[in-house]
Amino acid sequence: MPTKNDATGKPLPVEYNGDTYLVPPTEEWDLNVLEAIDDNKLTTALRALLGDEQYATFRKTNTKVKALGEFMDVAGKAVGAGNF
């Protein structure tokens, strides 16, 4: 069921650690994101969610596991995906 954040179908800005990332609404997520989450492969999920360019930006300033978990939580809330 689509969330209110899915209504436009446009990527939503997610602010994290001084950078803004565009994250697609959950209805537009590639199945690779969900499969990686199901398999507990969070770096693979993040790369699939953000794409190579945004993932590279994330990796430049976020080098700890804690940042990965925090970003996924922030992004999930922003697009109405709930907990990962």
Side-chain angles (χ1 to χ4, degrees):
M1 172 178 235
T3 67
K4 67 178 183 174
N5 293 330
D6 292 333
T8 65
K10 296 179 184 176
L12 300 160
V14 174
E15 302 283 334
Y16 182 75
N17 200 14
D19 289 306
T20 302
Y21 302 90
L22 294 177
V23 177
T26 54
E27 292 291 312
E28 298 296 322
W29 286 12
D30 189 285
L31 289 177
N32 291 329
V33 175
L34 298 179
E35 288 176 353
I37 290 169
D38 287 346
D39 292 341
N40 250 354
K41 296 179 179 179
L42 292 183
T43 56
T44 301
L46 183 61
R47 186 186 297 265
L49 183 64
L50 295 179
D52 290 336
E53 187 175 316
Q54 289 191 111
Y55 181 76
T57 299
F58 180 86
R59 289 284 291 129
K60 284 180 187 175
T61 56
N62 301 289
T63 60
K64 304 293 182 196
V65 172
K66 178 181 176 182
L68 174 63
E70 287 176 351
F71 179 83
M72 293 300 274
D73 286 342
V74 169
K77 288 175 185 167
V79 298
N83 295 329
F84 285 96

